[in-house]
Amino acid sequence: MNDKKTILLDERGNPVATSDGDEGDKAIIRQSGERPANLIIVPLDEHILFPGMTLPIVLGPTKAREALEFALSQGPFVVLLPHAEARPDGDGSLPKPEEMSAMGVLARVLKVINLPDGNRSAVVDCVTRCHIERYVRTDPFLIARVDYPPDTYNDTVENKATWRAARMALQELFREIPGLPEGFSIAAANLEGPGQLTDFVAAHIDMPRGERLALLSNTKVEERLRIVAEAITRELELARLAGRIREEIREKVEKTQREYYLREQVKAIRKELGEEVDQKELVGQEIEKKIEAGGLPEEVADKARKELKRLEILSPESPEYHVINTYLDWILALPWAKETEDSTELKRAREILEEDHYGLAEVKDRIIEFLAVRKLKPDQKGAILCFSGPPGVGKTSLGQSIARCLGRKFFRFSLGGMRDEAEIKGHRRTYIGAMPGKILQGLKQVTVRNPVFMLDEIDKLGSDWRGDPSSAMLEVLDPAQNNSFLDHYLDIPFDLSHVMFICTANIKANIPRPLLDRMEVIELPGYILDEKMAIAERYLVKRQIEAHGLTPSQVRFAPGVLPKIAEGWTAEAGVRNLERAIGRICRKVAAGIASNEITAARITSASLPDYLGKRTVFKDLPGRRPRVGTAVGLAWTPVGGEILRIETTRMPGAGHFKVTGQLGDVMKESVEIAVSYIRHHHERYGVDPDVFKNEDLHVHFPAGAVPKDGPSAGVTITTALISLLSGGRGKVPAARVAMTGEMTLSGEVLPVGGIREKVIAAQHAGVRTVILPEKNERDVSEIPAHVIEGLRFVYARKYDDVYAVALPSND
């Protein structure tokens, strides 16, 4: 039974009758061969169609499909009307008239096809623009009265030129797009006017929705033409850019393919000639030969063969292939068994040490002892020494001399500022660019397993979130562990017990305690003046004369000049600045000789300012007439010993005391200990106890810009305060007396360090009596006799021993 109903409308869209079946089908909306005036609207959520387009549109089970089906029952024409705003996620409901655009297209439905998914595809032919005059019905479908506004076009020269330029650009654009169907070019070539051109471009070129909607709504062809010309130009530039990119990619691909093809041809030719060589197989054969001839330990050789098997099954183009190949190169490059033979001629070794360095008797004796043990026990493991001392005393050069004595190769690298433990133990192979640490890198460089390794500045190792290299060094410098040192990259134990490690440090206290415990520390004290002069005359002057292209006859140093340079222009424990000063003199002499101003120069004390400028170093002498409230102490610095003067004063107040001179906590505590000791023993030293209630005390350490710390000034502070407070008016200390020692609350004098440097400083300052702790007497016995000539030493066990010499009775 057919229950289909037909709504009959007049030209204004008013219903005139309703019938069942096919009656009156020719009267609906007056559809005939002419363009109808009243039409059913099929709303489009997202698409915008233009006249001249023939295409299928897919409609789901929505009001738009119902409208199309109803319209087809009345005739072939519908209005395809876009929404004013895109609705990509439309719910298929009937839109409101105000949501729709005012301009759409009149379309003839050519065919409707049912799709497998339940949707319908309608093939439509877009005929012309149509304008919505008014809506005559909004339910159950949108029905509107439409008119058909004609296009307007001003046939001017400018518009003709724009049309021609747009057509040419469109043709060029089609040529730039590869794989474009030929029908597009044919259709573009047969466009009859600018209006068709604008609609064709708007329909087929990617444009913003707002711009497309504006083109549909505009009936002025010249305005549409300018918009389309800009769009074509924009797309043409993008197409050219894409074309260049495609061409570059194509050339690269063709080059790779061509190279591959040529390589395959070469292989085929060599195969026919019987000359074919498989490079991958050749690499494997070479590695196998190196494994057999390299003297690798069995465990290492097994590991290398295992990696070689993995290498053989990989393609040379694989990234893993290069990783394994590099790993095998490292294994085969390390000296697993190769070593140099040690020289055990003790006499020759002694001669080399004496030739390279002046003094340093303890260090030389230790090296000779090591060689002697090596001679008696050839399988002796490597030694681990640490040279500790101020800069410039010859620690690094001494390591080179040791290697020369032993006949071993030498490798040096600095640990100063190192913060990453991977620098010592390497990175794991999982990281890109991974490589072994410095230890194995050095062994690869020297190509033997028993070199002398110089680890400079071990006291300056850093530690942060990236790691603790000092902890990594524990395994390297521990004789019980370094016979199986495990580098993260190699992941195979390597025997470091044959290596002789020599570390250097400026301040022994900065070396981590576990690391220090694994080394034999040899102290290298600063040079005294006599040693500096011997080094300068034997090594430095000769070296600088040769370095500046001079001869000994062209520059001569008068007697007594070198000590003047050392005392007036350098303040150091070593000889680096002394060598720089000599080099500066040689440069000025070389400049005079090169400019023909002089032929030779004799350096005298009077001419030193002309070469080195004004004197920069002045010794702090204690003076022959000491004042009340002062005392002379002795201090140790990294560049040698120094005279330390202490000044005190008193003033009316309320029992406060002040300490100045940029002091550390230990030194401030020494001042407090001295005050407490004097207050407790005030009767013994003639000090009025009320002075600590009614007066303020001030203790000052001159050279306030220089940081000072340590306990060794305890007896000096106590002496200065007793000199200030004793007998009401104070007591003048003895002249040319200097002292050092730690003070306790009970009056005991404890031993301190740096005695050698302090005694030398006292000798240079003109001191005649030196007061030292009793337990430091052994340190004095190690100082050369000519250095302490003219000095009187007093060894104190209690402070009263100091008091008797520094503040003698005037009775």
Side-chain angles (χ1 to χ4, degrees):
M1 179 178 178
N2 187 3
D3 56 354
K4 181 178 179 181
K5 294 184 178 180
T6 301
I7 302 175
L8 303 180
L9 305 173
D10 60 14
E11 290 184 358
R12 297 183 178 273
N14 298 318
V16 295
T18 300
S19 64
D20 296 330
D22 297 328
E23 296 179 7
D25 58 336
K26 293 184 180 180
I28 186 163
I29 324 180
R30 297 182 58 83
Q31 288 203 15
S32 63
E34 301 177 355
R35 294 175 180 175
N38 298 320
L39 284 170
I40 294 177
I41 293 174
V42 177
L44 302 177
D45 289 336
E46 189 173 4
H47 300 290
I48 299 175
L49 305 182
F50 288 86
M53 297 178 66
T54 300
L55 76 166
I57 58 174
V58 179
L59 299 173
T62 61
K63 284 291 185 181
R65 190 172 87 176
E66 294 177 6
L68 178 68
E69 293 172 348
F70 178 75
L72 289 177
S73 65
Q74 314 302 320
F77 290 105
V78 293
V79 175
L80 301 178
L81 192 64
H83 282 78
E85 299 290 341
R87 295 203 313 172
D89 299 324
D91 56 3
S93 60
L94 186 67
K96 299 177 181 179
E98 57 269 20
E99 296 176 353
M100 306 304 294
S101 171
M103 188 75 78
V105 291
L106 175 67
R108 178 184 289 107
V109 181
L110 302 178
K111 185 189 296 183
V112 177
I113 302 173
N114 294 323
L115 300 177
D117 58 0
N119 296 330
R120 285 192 175 184
S121 175
V123 181
V124 296
D125 177 25
C126 301
V127 180
T128 185
R129 285 175 173 79
C130 61
H131 178 259
I132 307 300
E133 289 186 355
R134 61 186 178 85
Y135 287 90
V136 296
R137 286 187 68 83
T138 59
D139 188 59
F141 313 112
L142 293 178
I143 302 175
R145 186 170 185 83
V146 299
D147 60 9
Y148 304 95
D151 287 345
T152 61
Y153 176 66
N154 294 322
D155 194 12
T156 63
V157 175
E158 181 181 356
N159 290 339
K160 286 182 178 180
T162 305
W163 179 28
R164 183 175 298 176
R167 289 184 63 185
M168 294 176 64
L170 183 62
Q171 293 174 359
E172 188 173 355
L173 175 62
F174 287 158
R175 288 194 296 269
E176 289 288 341
I177 301 175
L180 189 71
E182 187 179 1
F184 279 92
S185 300
I186 296 173
N190 288 280
L191 296 174
E192 296 181 356
Q196 289 187 10
L197 174 67
T198 61
D199 291 341
F200 181 82
V201 172
H204 295 96
I205 288 184
D206 186 22
M207 300 173 67
R209 188 178 190 279
E211 197 171 290
R212 294 164 68 92
L213 192 60
L215 287 173
L216 178 63
S217 303
N218 196 343
T219 59
K220 295 182 179 180
V221 176
E222 58 270 16
E223 293 180 2
R224 302 206 311 258
L225 195 59
R226 282 192 292 271
I227 296 174
V228 164
E230 292 178 2
I232 296 174
T233 304
R234 184 170 62 242
E235 287 296 317
L236 181 59
E237 291 298 324
L238 290 176
R240 286 173 176 169
L241 178 59
R244 287 196 296 269
I245 295 173
R246 283 195 305 272
E247 185 64 23
E248 291 175 0
I249 295 174
R250 184 186 62 80
E251 289 178 357
K252 290 181 180 179
V253 172
E254 287 182 353
K255 180 181 178 182
T256 303
Q257 292 176 341
R258 184 170 60 254
E259 291 176 353
Y260 176 77
Y261 177 72
L262 292 174
R263 280 195 295 267
E264 292 299 319
Q265 279 188 323
V266 170
K267 287 182 181 179
I269 293 171
R270 287 180 174 177
K271 186 175 182 180
E272 291 295 329
L273 296 174
E275 299 177 355
E276 181 183 10
V277 177
D278 189 338
Q279 293 297 324
K280 178 180 174 182
E281 183 178 349
L282 183 61
V283 169
Q285 292 174 355
E286 291 178 355
I287 293 175
E288 183 64 37
K289 290 179 181 178
K290 290 180 180 179
I291 294 174
E292 295 295 335
L296 277 62
E298 183 178 353
E299 178 185 356
V300 179
D302 292 343
K303 177 72 172 178
R305 291 190 180 95
K306 181 179 178 181
E307 294 294 327
L308 180 59
K309 289 180 180 179
R310 292 182 58 200
L311 187 72
E312 290 172 347
I313 63 175
L314 291 173
S315 169
E317 285 76 23
S318 170
E320 185 69 16
Y321 180 90
H322 299 285
V323 171
I324 297 176
N325 195 12
T326 304
Y327 177 74
L328 287 171
D329 287 343
W330 269 104
I331 290 180
L332 298 174
L334 289 174
W336 297 95
K338 184 180 178 182
E339 61 181 27
T340 56
E341 184 177 353
D342 284 349
S343 172
T344 56
E345 297 183 11
L346 303 184
K347 183 178 178 181
R348 174 58 180 163
R350 175 73 72 176
E351 291 174 356
I352 292 174
L353 292 174
E354 294 295 341
E355 179 183 339
D356 291 348
H357 291 85
Y358 180 84
L360 305 177
E362 181 185 355
V363 180
K364 294 175 182 177
D365 290 342
R366 176 64 184 88
I367 296 169
I368 297 300
E369 291 168 3
F370 172 79
L371 290 176
V373 174
R374 187 76 177 179
K375 183 176 182 179
L376 298 176
K377 186 175 174 56
D379 59 345
Q380 177 73 20
K381 299 299 182 182
I384 300 172
L385 304 178
C386 178
F387 296 151
S388 174
V393 296
K395 299 184 295 295
T396 303
S397 61
L398 192 59
Q400 295 173 330
S401 296
I402 292 173
R404 186 180 164 202
C405 290
L406 296 172
R408 295 188 180 190
K409 293 189 177 182
F410 180 79
F411 181 79
R412 170 197 168 275
F413 72 95
S414 177
L415 299 174
M418 187 177 290
R419 295 180 178 273
D420 189 355
E421 63 180 8
E423 293 284 343
I424 304 296
K425 302 200 66 173
H427 298 83
R428 301 192 184 278
R429 276 198 292 161
T430 53
Y431 297 105
I432 297 175
M435 61 190 308
K438 284 285 188 181
I439 302 297
L440 293 190
Q441 289 182 37
L443 289 170
K444 178 185 177 183
Q445 183 173 331
V446 298
T447 68
V448 292
R449 67 174 182 171
N450 64 336
V452 173
F453 252 54
M454 173 68 75
L455 307 178
D456 253 345
E457 316 294 351
I458 198 169
D459 58 328
K460 298 175 181 63
L461 278 173
S463 177
D464 60 11
W465 57 270
R466 286 171 290 187
D468 183 7
S470 63
S471 298
M473 289 300 298
L474 294 177
E475 183 181 0
V476 176
L477 300 180
D478 190 347
Q481 299 181 45
N482 64 8
N483 60 349
S484 58
F485 172 72
L486 192 65
D487 186 274
H488 289 157
Y489 177 83
L490 207 63
D491 204 24
I492 302 174
F494 191 94
D495 186 2
L496 297 179
S497 62
H498 301 278
V499 179
M500 181 177 185
F501 289 102
I502 300 177
C503 306
T504 70
N506 295 130
I507 303 175
K508 185 174 68 172
N510 291 348
I511 303 175
R513 189 66 191 179
L515 201 58
L516 186 64
D517 187 58
R518 286 162 168 78
M519 300 182 291
E520 180 180 345
V521 180
I522 299 177
E523 299 281 355
L524 274 71
Y527 295 117
I528 61 177
L529 183 61
D530 291 348
E531 292 174 337
K532 289 183 180 180
M533 294 307 99
I535 293 171
E537 293 171 359
R538 187 179 296 184
Y539 306 106
L540 305 185
V541 173
K542 179 181 178 181
R543 187 158 61 206
Q544 288 301 316
I545 288 176
E546 292 178 355
H548 291 85
L550 301 173
T551 62
S553 61
Q554 290 176 319
V555 54
R556 291 175 295 168
F557 291 85
V561 170
L562 293 176
K564 292 286 185 182
I565 297 174
E567 292 180 333
W569 281 269
T570 68
E572 58 177 346
V575 292
R576 281 182 182 163
N577 288 329
L578 177 60
E579 184 172 10
R580 290 192 187 102
I582 296 171
R584 186 175 177 184
I585 293 173
C586 291
R587 284 197 301 273
K588 288 187 177 293
V589 173
I593 293 175
S595 59
N596 297 321
E597 296 178 0
I598 58 174
T599 57
R602 185 173 185 271
I603 314 303
T604 63
S605 300
S607 63
L608 284 179
D610 298 333
Y611 292 98
L612 300 177
K614 294 182 179 180
R615 181 171 178 168
T616 57
V617 178
F618 299 90
K619 290 291 183 180
D620 186 9
L621 301 179
R624 296 192 177 187
R625 294 184 180 180
R627 300 188 302 274
V628 171
T630 63
V632 178
L634 298 172
W636 178 91
T637 69
V639 297
E642 291 288 345
I643 291 294
L644 178 66
R645 293 186 297 111
I646 299 178
E647 300 175 345
T648 62
T649 188
R650 57 197 290 185
M651 63 208 78
H656 303 297
F657 73 92
K658 182 187 297 183
V659 183
T660 55
Q662 197 173 349
L663 309 180
D665 292 338
V666 176
M667 212 164 195
K668 291 177 181 178
E669 292 172 358
S670 296
V671 177
E672 295 175 359
I673 291 171
V675 172
S676 299
Y677 177 79
I678 296 171
R679 291 182 66 178
H680 182 71
H681 300 281
H682 63 90
E683 292 181 356
R684 182 185 305 176
Y685 302 116
V687 177
D688 184 1
D690 293 335
V691 72
F692 298 104
K693 299 179 182 179
N694 304 325
E695 296 186 26
D696 291 343
L697 303 179
H698 187 173
V699 181
H700 177 63
F701 296 77
V706 180
K708 310 171 189 69
D709 203 3
S712 64
V715 296
T716 314
I717 298 168
T718 305
T719 302
L721 286 171
I722 292 177
S723 171
L724 175 71
L725 303 175
S726 180
R729 294 184 176 180
K731 196 172 185 179
V732 179
R736 294 192 176 187
V737 175
M739 64 199 75
T740 183
E742 181 179 352
M743 183 78 175
T744 69
L745 283 174
S746 61
E748 293 184 7
V749 180
L750 302 182
V752 294
I755 296 299
R756 183 176 188 269
E757 290 79 6
K758 292 176 180 179
V759 170
I760 294 171
Q763 177 74 287
H764 290 173
V767 171
R768 291 293 174 262
T769 302
V770 179
I771 303 174
L772 300 174
E774 186 180 52
K775 293 182 179 180
N776 284 122
E777 184 176 358
R778 66 182 186 278
D779 299 308
V780 177
S781 64
E782 298 175 358
I783 303 175
H786 69 276
V787 174
I788 60 177
E789 184 178 354
L791 289 178
R792 181 172 74 96
F793 291 94
V794 176
Y795 300 103
R797 187 173 60 87
K798 304 283 290 185
Y799 178 73
D800 288 342
D801 300 331
V802 179
Y803 178 79
V805 178
L807 296 168
S809 174
N810 295 325
D811 298 338

